[in-house]
Amino acid sequence: MRRSIIILTAIAMLVSCKDKAPANIFFEEWNTPYGTAPFSQIKTEDYLPAFKEGIARQKAEIEAIISNPEAPTFENTIAAYDLSGELLAKVSGVFFNLVESDTTPELQAIDEEVTPLITAAEDEILMNPDLFARVKVVYENMDGLTREQQMVTKKLYEAFVRNGVALEPEKQARFKEINTRLASLSQRFGNNLLAENNAFKAEIGISVSDYSDYMTTTEDRALREKAFRAYSSRGNNGNEYDNNEICLEIMKLRTEKAALLGYDNSASYLLSNKMAGDPATVDAFLAKIMDASMVKAREEIRDMQEVMNEDIKAGLLPAGTKIQPWDWFYYAEKVRARKYDLDESLTKPYFQADSVMKGVFFAANKIYGVNFEPAADVEIYNPVVKAFKLTDRDGSFVGIFYADYYSRESKRGGAWMNNFRDQYFDASGKEVRPIIVNVCNFPAPTAELPSLLTVDQVQTAFHEFGHALHGFLTKCHYKSVSGTSVTRDFVEMFSQFNENWAFQPEILSEYAHNYISGETIPAELVDKINNSLKFNQGFMTGELCAASILDMKWHELTAAELENFTDAQSIRDFETKVCKEMGLIDEIIPRYRSTYFNHIFNSGYSAGYYGYLWSEVLDVDAFEKFKEDGAFNPETALKFRQTFLEKGGSEEPMTLYHIFRGADPDPDALLRARGLK
């Protein structure tokens, strides 16, 4: 009752102030199709007041939980917490999606102001001893709860412990300071990288997302070297957007934070609640992959050098020229064309971006029975974004999907899935269905050409929609375990699993049509694509594994070791040392160097980038089950959906895996799939 009174009082205050201030769209019920955001009605000045009010309302809701005179139960404590912060989630869902995909200087300024406020508010909740006391009572008496309720309780209890609720007051105060500072630094890192990406485009004439295609097709070796050096020095140019000092401060603060909780380094802290469990397990896992990938990479260099030697003989290059990092894409493509009679100029005409999206949808329909239709009544936030309504086999509403596929200066690099709204059941017991976006950086169409994708970009489209399916098909009751709310080294299983459908002949025949003639992609070209998927895996796996090891080695540093880092050169020396120790050959650099490693310094993958490879073991082994049963076996697909996609984080990952596969995943499945064994 007290909670209701507080909320009603807050609402009454808002009403009384309505005549004194302009209406804020976030304070209103959105009378829009499916509760989607009315983007055109949102004013920039709406965000900050909405954030502040959202924080205040959640604070009142938490106070109501604590003040409840009844004994703590799952419903009056855990479930009540899970439902708190509705307004804050509403504004956050819109703002943080736009600040990454369609940002402006005004939004970035708000981000700088609001990020510390949200971090402080989260710390205030997760360091509240009275709330923790109630959570602890429920945690210690979970026998009568459903398995999902137990997982929700466990996750919340661990969040308190991992956020320092048991620390002494002075240490707790320092913990809060660290969290607030880290949030601001991460936000600055991302903004700097966006500026550096735009500077790269201004200098080289292409977007960062077009880098690999440019390096593959550019004959002028000097231009390739120039592009490589500009690409690999982002955030390390000694200018106002330099990220070196930010990287160092982030690592020192993360290590101090881990030490406050009794851990030797931040990797030990960050991995303690992941599938892998500890740094030693991850290090051994990555070392095996790195060794295998470098054996293959040396073979690839020999093949490329033979082609380069022909160019030397023809007088195109000086005698003695050797393969360098800026040569890899270019000569690898020449080798692929010879080995498989395949190059991107043959495949791209069949992979027009809109058609690929239809292929993504067709695969989801064929495998899971999900239906798609344009949602013309749903407002979009940028003219190039497309909205779709998803329904299930029985016609029931699944959710709303935004496809934001094309590169632009207001969008950070890379590709990702995110939720505007999670799936859960509200306080009345009504299910709330998700609103999800896939953001990519595919080349924008021009007056002369539609957006034509490389094989890798096609895989990216399927990858990100794999995340979306995880969010759409979830059937959980609580937001904290819904959809993709699973550990970092489990979440990528489902995105990577979805890539398996991209080049299945039955799927390709439905979407891969020549954009000029309308011809369906020929069977022989399909065979060439599938035969070539294991090509260049020494490089592809090596650069990914190298970035994963670099991530781990940063987070395995102790506070004493970090004191030896003083400037940009010390970071470069560290990277050189790590690459040498891991056995990375000179012709390959990590997929991300420190100053543009957004995953670990701004996107929550700290000591977690290995998760892509870890999850790939799971996805490849799971897909072998599909191949055993028949790729489109409806019973296998239904079991995959019910076991994984519907469950979200409502059960331990390996428990779910055992239910589906009946055994542990085969650790060599990844090496076999990549042609490394």
Side-chain angles (χ1 to χ4, degrees), residues 38-50:
F39 295 108
S40 63
Q41 298 179 50
I42 298 173
K43 302 186 293 291
T44 301
E45 55 267 29
D46 288 341
Y47 287 114
L48 191 56

Side-chain angles (χ1 to χ4, degrees), residues 62 66 123-133 160 165 172:
I62 297 302
I66 294 169
D123 282 343
E124 185 176 342
I125 292 171
L126 292 177
M127 290 184 182
N128 189 307
D130 296 326
L131 180 59
F132 178 63
F160 274 95
V165 71
Q172 198 173 87

Side-chain angles (χ1 to χ4, degrees), residues 618 621 654 656-666:
L618 305 177
D621 190 65
M654 197 55 75
L656 294 177
Y657 198 86
H658 286 157
I659 291 171
F660 177 75
R661 199 68 169 101
D664 286 338
D666 180 358

